Amino acid sequence: MARNIQSLERAAAMLRLLAGGERRLGLTEVAAALGLAKGTAHGILRTLQHEGFVEQDPASGRYQLGAELLRLGNSFLDVHELRARALVWTDDLARSSGESVYLGVLHQQGVLIVHHVFRPDDSRQVLEVGAMQPLHSTALGKVLSAYDPVAHTEAVEAGRESFTAHTLTSAEHFEEVLDLTRARGWAADVEETWEGVASIAAPIHDRRRMPVGAVGITGAVERVRPDGELKPELVAAVRDCARAVSRDLGAGRF
């Protein structure tokens, strides 16, 4: 069995102490509460302070939780709020389109699927919440790369792997696709990631008009792109869903 790292356990205990006790605690109080030598407690506090997880009041010298911890907490809450706001709209999109619906956010140089609505038929399907998709070839990834500067940088700097004969791997072509995505407000993936599969996605914005995710449908090419053209009613349905979720997040009209 792998052993726990003692310094990390102590740091976690220190954060819990600061979160659950008085608003601010002194070094002596922290050390006594956790049964640590003052020198050990001070070293951990200084490290947490350097990383932004703990702040020290310059007047009293007492410690409290820092802004970085709040930022991480808000990021976690944002994803859950996004998913909660999207539940009804993504269900409606699956029913109206007849296809699977995915909600994705940027995570570690890829698209993390945070919500998945099955295609409304009796076919056997696998829940893909928690799965990762590439930024450069999927409709969700292109949308995030087009609207989120961080996602754009990740996609440009990462190696653009060729998954099928249709995958665009050159930087120039990728930028052209992103320009087109921004111009029309949606992106497509036609057999660029998986043979026989096509997707359409649109961006979701929050109350600050910042891109926080993307929503899209995925289905067989012959259904999503019959006769060589993406079905306009599917494009419209995806865009309407993205706008509805954005409005629920306070973004107003786009």
Side-chain angles (χ1 to χ4, degrees), residues 13-24:
M14 202 168 285
L15 293 174
R16 293 192 187 99
L17 177 66
L18 292 172
E22 299 291 333
R23 179 171 173 79
R24 292 174 180 166

Side-chain angles (χ1 to χ4, degrees), residues 97-102 116-121 123 125 128 133 139 189-192 194-201 216-226 230-231 234 238:
S97 68
E99 302 295 350
S100 300
V101 176
Y102 294 89
H116 174 200
V117 184
F118 284 164
R119 185 171 62 255
D121 59 21
S123 62
Q125 300 172 63
E128 295 188 40
Q133 294 185 4
D189 161 14
V190 180
E191 297 189 280
E192 294 177 51
W194 302 282
E195 295 282 357
V197 176
S199 302
I200 303 167
I217 61 166
T218 297
V221 170
E222 58 267 22
R223 295 195 305 269
V224 178
R225 191 176 181 252
L230 292 167
K231 294 176 73 172
L234 292 181
V238 170

